[in-house]
Amino acid sequence: MNSLLDVDRLVAGYYTPTGVLVTVTGVTFNIERGEIFAVVGESGCGKTTLAAAIYRILKYPGKVFHGSITLDGKDLLQMSEDEVREVRMKKISYVPQYAMDALDPVTKVGDFMRRALAEHGYPSDNMDELILEKLKLMRLPERVINMYPMELSGG
Ligand SMILES: Nc1ncnc2c1ncn2[C@@H]1O[C@H](COP(=O)(O)OP(=O)(O)OP(=O)(O)O)[C@@H](O)[C@H]1O
Ligand SMILES: [Mg+2]
């Protein structure tokens, strides 16, 4: 059986005014189902670049130059934007280091959830019910719907 995530000889980096900066220099690893896997390294060694490549959000001047990223048997780097949207949040998620900067501070939590659910094709009619259900799953109170991201902890 395939690994859940298979990163093979991945080379990624950035175009800079002084040339190409390669920060992910041929990285290979597999993550099995149920496995907890950590990438550790000094600041600037390329951890975020690696994560961005895997989540397919590494955009110009960033670029994957070589290698493959296989998720559940499918090559992520060959997927169309629509196909990637299908796997994002469902099979793979990215929690940024500075969540407070990544989320629009004037959008309420409920609206973020509504948008995410709509993006994933949930019908709008029973959306409120669904949001309450999801909050319950996370053991968060109902009033979170009307709170702003900064009113919750980063994690
Ligand atoms: N947009 C960019 N253009 C040029 N170089 C970049 C860009 N973004 C990051 N880099 C460089 O790529 C290298 C890797 O950065 P990256 O953010 O992946 O490191 P990191 O391991 O996540 O660091 P930290 O632990 O500080 O989060 C660094 O040298 C950084 O300066
Ligand atoms: Mg980082």
Side-chain angles (χ1 to χ4, degrees):
M1 205 169 88
N2 287 332
S3 297
L4 182 63
L5 183 73
D6 209 324
V7 175
D8 189 34
R9 285 164 288 176
L10 191 74
V11 179
Y14 301 89
Y15 293 108
T16 78
T18 53
V20 174
L21 175 71
V22 177
T23 62
V24 177
T25 54
V27 170
T28 296
F29 62 87
N30 305 315
I31 303 180
E32 305 299 333
R33 251 162 246 282
E35 186 180 354
I36 295 172
F37 187 94
V39 177
V40 181
E42 67 189 37
S43 180
C45 76
K47 304 178 297 291
T48 296
T49 309
L50 173 65
I54 294 171
Y55 202 52
R56 271 276 301 264
I57 53 169
L58 186 63
K59 295 275 144 65
Y60 187 85
K63 188 168 166 56
V64 171
F65 298 110
H66 185 83
S68 65
I69 303 169
T70 313
L71 177 69
D72 238 352
K74 281 194 92 177
D75 190 343
L76 256 169
L77 296 175
Q78 301 305 324
M79 286 183 190
S80 67
E81 266 310 312
D82 282 348
E83 285 174 302
V84 171
R85 205 169 297 132
E86 267 305 301
V87 299
R88 275 199 199 117
M89 306 301 281
K90 286 188 191 152
K91 289 191 173 175
I92 190 166
S93 283
Y94 177 77
V95 181
Q97 211 159 349
Y98 302 106
M100 292 303 117
D101 292 341
L103 299 172
D104 175 7
V106 296
T107 297
K108 290 181 177 175
V109 172
D111 293 326
F112 277 117
M113 294 180 75
R114 201 162 287 120
R115 246 184 251 169
L117 290 166
E119 177 86 7
H120 287 281
Y122 287 90
S124 57
D125 44 1
N126 66 341
M127 198 78 92
D128 289 343
E129 211 174 294
L130 200 58
I131 288 172
L132 287 176
E133 194 183 297
K134 300 289 177 198
L135 285 175
K136 212 168 174 186
L137 259 172
M138 294 182 281
R139 296 194 199 134
L140 289 169
E142 225 173 90
R143 63 186 162 83
V144 165
I145 289 178
N146 289 313
M147 285 165 72
Y148 292 99
M150 64 185 179
E151 294 179 273
L152 293 174
S153 87

